[in-house]
């Protein structure tokens, strides 16, 4: 079973990002939190009062994070053979922080003690990682690895943001990971749980716009 969740674009991303940069507080007032979405923080004592902004801002969602967390909406579930793809814009990092962001899949018991999911993240400086969340543990499947396809803040040119497209293709035998159409890793499907809920993960103190997070069946 594969279910899709992607907002309908209403105006250009360029205008959206310019508005966010110019008046983030205004954006928070003018846009609303996504209906029925949930947020789960890593830290047990963290609360949404520490989350500066999480709103629907078509096309997509805008997050100015506090503590590290995962975000997911209703019916965001995928299984079988599929491709998950996320388009994300990084605003200026705070200081020298190189916090990570990306998507998760294969989520189970996301609001419980037995939480599980697989996540694929990048960070400023051109590195990616693949990890698992298994209850209180977070084992690493692939450690931080550099790849020239990953664009960081310094690679943005004259733009106000650094744009990356992250993806994973899960077929019967393998899961392949991509950044900006370049394959950066591949793992046996038996080692990467991909059936379950999906969403995005944003670590500490990041300002991001996620313009797309969508799932599509793999072509036979």
């Amino acid at each position: 079973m594969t279910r899709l969740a992607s907002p309908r674009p209403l105006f250009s991303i360029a205008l959206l990002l310019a508005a966010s940069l110019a008046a983030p507080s205004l954006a928070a007032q003018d846009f609303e939190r996504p209906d029925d979405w949930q947020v789960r923080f890593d830290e047990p004592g963290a609360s949404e009062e520490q989350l500066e902004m999480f709103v629907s801002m078509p096309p997509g969602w805008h997050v100015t994070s506090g503590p590290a967390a995962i975000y997911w909406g209703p019916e965001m579930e995928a299984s079988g053979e599929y491709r998950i793809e996320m388009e994300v814009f990084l605003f200026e990092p705070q200081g020298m922080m190189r916090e990570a962001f990306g998507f998760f899949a294969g989520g189970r018991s996301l609001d419980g003690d037995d939480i599980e999911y697989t996540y694929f993240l990048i960070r400023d400086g051109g590195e990616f990682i693949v990890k698992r969340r298994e209850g209180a543990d977070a084992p690493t499947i692939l450690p931080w690895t550099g790849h020239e396809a990953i664009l960081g803040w310094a690679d943005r040119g004259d733009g106000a943001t650094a744009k990356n497209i992250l993806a994973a293709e899960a077929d019967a035998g393998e899961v392949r990971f991509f950044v900006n159409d370049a394959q950066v890793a591949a793992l046996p499907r038996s080692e990467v749980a991909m059936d379950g809920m999906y969403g995005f993960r944003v670590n500490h103190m990041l300002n991001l716009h996620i313009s797309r997070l969508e799932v599509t069946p793999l072509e036979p």
Side-chain angles (χ1 to χ4, degrees):
M1 174 182 61
T2 302
R3 297 174 181 169
L4 311 183
S6 179
R8 181 181 178 183
L10 298 180
F11 50 85
S12 74
I13 293 176
L15 291 175
L16 164 75
L17 299 181
S20 298
L21 277 175
S25 61
L26 179 63
Q29 296 170 11
D30 290 353
F31 298 94
E32 297 181 354
R33 180 193 169 98
D35 289 341
D36 300 324
W37 276 61
Q38 297 185 61
V39 180
R40 165 95 182 231
F41 296 98
D42 286 359
E43 300 174 12
S47 73
E48 292 205 26
E49 293 179 356
Q50 298 167 268
L51 177 59
E52 185 171 337
M53 185 193 301
F54 174 42
V55 294
S56 290
M57 192 181 288
W61 310 268
H62 202 94
V63 177
T64 305
S65 66
I70 58 170
Y71 304 71
W72 73 98
E75 299 186 0
M76 293 179 70
E77 185 175 357
S79 61
E81 299 186 21
Y82 67 90
R83 176 183 173 93
I84 179 170
E85 184 170 295
M86 174 186 188
E87 182 179 65
V88 57
F89 294 80
L90 170 67
F91 287 81
E92 184 173 8
Q94 299 188 27
M96 298 300 291
M97 297 182 70
R98 298 175 59 213
E99 291 294 336
F101 55 94
F103 61 76
F104 72 88
R108 299 179 183 276
S109 302
L110 295 182
D111 56 356
D113 293 338
D114 298 327
I115 184 172
E116 294 184 16
Y117 58 85
T118 299
Y119 52 115
F120 176 45
L121 309 180
I122 61 172
R123 67 182 179 186
D124 194 36
E127 295 180 311
F128 74 91
I129 195 169
V130 181
K131 289 176 68 75
R132 285 278 300 158
R133 172 66 63 183
E134 298 175 354
D137 299 324
T140 298
I141 302 175
L142 287 175
W144 284 113
T145 304
H147 197 284
E148 62 184 5
I150 302 168
L151 300 181
W153 180 248
D155 304 311
R156 72 193 186 284
D158 295 330
T161 66
K163 171 188 169 183
N164 286 279
I165 298 176
L166 287 68
E169 293 183 349
D171 64 26
E174 187 177 57
V175 181
R176 298 173 295 280
F177 298 89
F178 301 85
V179 180
N180 298 322
D181 294 326
Q183 181 172 318
V184 298
L187 292 164
R189 179 77 181 245
S190 59
E191 296 181 10
V192 188
M194 294 292 288
D195 293 339
M197 303 296 291
Y198 67 90
F200 46 84
R201 179 179 170 89
V202 182
N203 282 5
H204 310 271
M205 307 292 289
L206 283 163
N207 189 6
L208 304 175
H209 187 79
I210 299 101
S211 55
R212 284 191 295 112
L213 179 62
E214 55 193 10
V215 165
T216 53
L218 284 182
E219 296 293 331

